[in-house]
Amino acid sequence: MLETFLNDPLYLQVDIALLGMLLGAAVSALLAFQRAGSFAGGIRRFWGAEELLFGGWAPRPRLAAGPGLFVIAAALLQFGVFFGNSLIREVWPGTIAAMALVIDHLYGAALVCKLLLASRYSGKQLAVAWPVFFVLRWVFMNNHNKWFMLGVLFLLAAKDVPLRRPLKVCLAVGAASLAVVMTGAALGWIPTLLLEGGRPRNSFGYGWPNLLGAFLLGAAVMYVCWRRAERLKWYDFVLLGAVTVFCDRGPDSRGGTVCLALLLAGMLAARFLPRIFGPALVRGLLAACPFLAFGASYWMHWAYTPDNVLLETLNGLFTGRLYLGHEALLKLTPRIAGQADLQGAIIDNLYLGWWFSGGPVASLLVWAGFAFLLWKLLKNGRITESVCCLAFLAHGFMEPHLMWPCVNVTVWLLAGVVYLVPDGRFPSFAPVPSKKESEAP
């Protein structure tokens, strides 16, 4: 067991977090009953008041440490993925492997400490978040999807963290890592992958061109979340356009290019036509997009046949993905809690792929979570975050990076969903108003 933990700490870290939250909730409940002096009073106190787990000892340093722990975890994962997950690992294989293992232990420990020692919870919040955590941990033990589980840990740990600071740190680390890796590949210091046939594709130092496309989309999302739609200038749109063109002409990542174009179009609409996001009908349709995307994905793959001109055209646009998904539907049966063995099936559509690897229950939880997130964001006027979330939901038609917390930072915002955060405290990447601004009439 010790050897397994040393080589892959995530499984034990997840279990420590899950069981620790349950034990901490029990301690908090006992303390609430003790302080209230009556059973009914204890129930009300535990259910409604947010308290630190395992008692209120050292509250100030614990709460002060929480945001810092989240920043450390996010920065470490960002560096490990954007830099360490490049082909630099072929240049320094032993060094990068050792570095990756150390990083895995450090950010996992930081997340567990944030969850158990530096976050306040009410009984009502734990009554929703803990069962969701339990179900998704159960699925993780079946499908071993590390990236999805990391997304869950990060969204749980993001509770009450001012997210703008970790956003800026991750943008800086991610952009610097991209620059170093791509420059190193251009100069021949880092290997790169060159694919011929049709248009040439260059991975610029990463293991696959589509991975670079996902990283470019992730960096663009972090950039606009930092800049904010209402503050974008002409040079911001020029930069987004340049990244989109590069993604098309360099790695030729179709999913990344299309979603960068969607992000650019969405930012133009948010900047110059923000009122179109206001009507309840529009908000409802956009909030329904996760379920609409799942339904469209399932239907396209199920109904695919080469004789159908429309579906065959879509199959070409999706580079053969409908054919592969159709074959998977004929071969696989969904299991309630997911599965790792897809019997050789290749599914490059996240919605259909998660239906099999995650199972129906987890699929419902995930798409309901994103739907509720979009509704709350739009209701609170957070158009920037909404457009970024929609761009990554569209990316799921061709790529699996929706729940990667180092690529799609809108995953962090799901903390507001699982903890039932009210509108006034719902997380976003917007700057916190100064005291003078908040007091202005």
Side-chain angles (χ1 to χ4, degrees), residues 38 80 112 190 352 376 421:
S38 68
V112 172
I190 298 175
L352 187 65
K376 293 285 282 187
V421 176

Side-chain angles (χ1 to χ4, degrees), residues 3-12 101 104-105 146:
E3 182 180 357
T4 301
F5 171 69
L6 291 175
N7 292 322
D8 191 355
L10 183 60
Y11 289 88
L12 184 57
L101 188 57
D104 286 348
H105 279 272
K146 169 185 175 179

Side-chain angles (χ1 to χ4, degrees), residues 335-414:
R335 298 181 183 175
I336 190 68
Q339 56 191 306
D341 182 12
L342 298 184
Q343 302 176 38
I346 300 174
I347 310 174
D348 274 340
N349 176 288
L350 179 66
Y351 300 93
L352 187 65
W354 187 247
W355 178 253
F356 290 111
S357 67
V361 174
S363 293
L364 178 62
L365 284 174
V366 171
W367 308 133
F370 275 105
F372 190 69
L373 173 63
L374 282 166
W375 175 257
K376 293 285 282 187
L377 290 173
L378 290 164
K379 181 182 177 184
N380 287 287
R382 303 304 186 187
I383 301 174
T384 301
E385 290 87 347
S386 302
V387 171
C388 291
C389 185
L390 287 165
F392 262 105
L393 286 167
H395 195 246
F397 275 102
M398 299 183 73
E399 300 295 338
H401 305 96
L402 177 67
M403 286 294 293
W404 287 35
C406 53
V407 176
N408 178 20
V409 293
T410 65
V411 166
W412 304 351
L413 303 173
L414 286 167

Side-chain angles (χ1 to χ4, degrees), residues 35-164:
R35 292 168 183 165
S38 68
F39 182 79
I43 290 289
R44 286 194 298 269
R45 183 185 180 98
F46 172 68
W47 187 254
E50 293 187 25
E51 302 283 355
L52 288 162
L53 298 180
F54 304 105
W57 50 271
R60 289 187 178 181
R62 289 170 67 183
L63 291 174
L69 288 168
F70 187 86
V71 170
I72 291 170
L76 285 170
L77 180 62
Q78 198 78 10
F79 179 74
V81 173
F82 276 60
F83 179 78
N85 202 34
S86 70
L87 293 181
I88 190 71
R89 61 181 181 267
E90 295 188 3
V91 180
W92 302 320
T95 301
I96 297 300
M99 180 194 76
L101 188 57
V102 171
I103 286 175
D104 286 348
H105 279 272
L106 290 177
Y107 71 65
L111 291 172
V112 172
C113 289
K114 168 63 172 70
L115 282 167
L116 301 184
L117 301 176
S119 292
R120 291 182 298 186
Y121 309 95
S122 67
K124 179 173 65 175
Q125 291 169 342
L126 290 169
V128 175
W130 196 88
V132 169
F133 190 10
F134 176 83
V135 169
L136 295 180
R137 177 264 180 197
W138 178 26
V139 169
F140 169 58
M141 293 298 168
N142 290 330
N143 67 10
H144 310 294
N145 189 327
K146 169 185 175 179
W147 296 109
F148 191 90
M149 197 68 244
L150 282 177
V152 173
L153 281 179
F154 268 87
L155 73 89
L156 288 169
K159 184 179 188 300
D160 296 332
V161 173
L163 294 178
R164 191 163 177 83

Side-chain angles (χ1 to χ4, degrees), residues 188-258:
W189 299 340
I190 298 175
T192 193
L193 183 66
L194 293 172
L195 300 178
E196 301 294 339
R199 290 199 303 178
R201 308 177 70 187
N202 190 338
S203 72
F204 287 94
Y206 289 96
W208 189 249
N210 288 345
L211 180 62
L212 175 56
F215 287 178
L216 291 172
L217 176 61
V221 162
M222 286 183 269
Y223 179 81
V224 298
C225 284
W226 167 55
R227 289 286 293 145
R228 312 302 300 163
E230 64 274 12
R231 299 178 180 180
L232 293 179
K233 306 296 184 183
W234 64 268
Y235 49 82
D236 296 309
F237 293 109
V238 170
L239 178 60
L240 290 174
V243 173
T244 304
V245 172
F246 172 77
C247 189
D248 177 58
R249 306 310 301 180
D252 189 21
S253 171
R254 188 169 301 182
T257 301
V258 169

Side-chain angles (χ1 to χ4, degrees), residues 172-337:
V173 172
S177 298
L178 278 170
V180 169
V181 171
M182 293 169 65
T183 302
L187 296 175
W189 299 340
I190 298 175
T192 193
L193 183 66
L194 293 172
L195 300 178
E196 301 294 339
R199 290 199 303 178
R201 308 177 70 187
N202 190 338
S203 72
F204 287 94
Y206 289 96
W208 189 249
N210 288 345
L211 180 62
L212 175 56
F215 287 178
L216 291 172
L217 176 61
V221 162
M222 286 183 269
Y223 179 81
V224 298
C225 284
W226 167 55
R227 289 286 293 145
R228 312 302 300 163
E230 64 274 12
R231 299 178 180 180
L232 293 179
K233 306 296 184 183
W234 64 268
Y235 49 82
D236 296 309
F237 293 109
V238 170
L239 178 60
L240 290 174
V243 173
T244 304
V245 172
F246 172 77
C247 189
D248 177 58
R249 306 310 301 180
D252 189 21
S253 171
R254 188 169 301 182
T257 301
V258 169
C259 293
L260 279 164
L262 290 174
L263 178 67
L264 177 57
M267 287 300 108
L268 284 167
R271 176 65 177 86
F272 299 107
L273 299 169
R275 291 184 179 180
I276 66 174
F277 296 94
L281 177 60
V282 173
R283 288 187 276 126
L285 287 173
L286 293 177
C289 279
F291 288 107
L292 294 175
F294 170 75
S297 296
Y298 197 96
W299 177 82
M300 287 191 302
H301 292 87
W302 173 77
Y304 170 75
T305 170
D307 299 329
N308 188 306
V309 176
L310 172 62
L311 293 177
E312 181 60 22
T313 302
L314 288 174
N315 185 54
L317 291 173
F318 289 118
T319 57
R321 284 169 167 83
L322 296 192
Y323 167 77
L324 294 172
H326 182 75
E327 293 297 306
L329 279 169
L330 297 177
K331 182 186 296 186
L332 299 174
T333 300
R335 298 181 183 175
I336 190 68

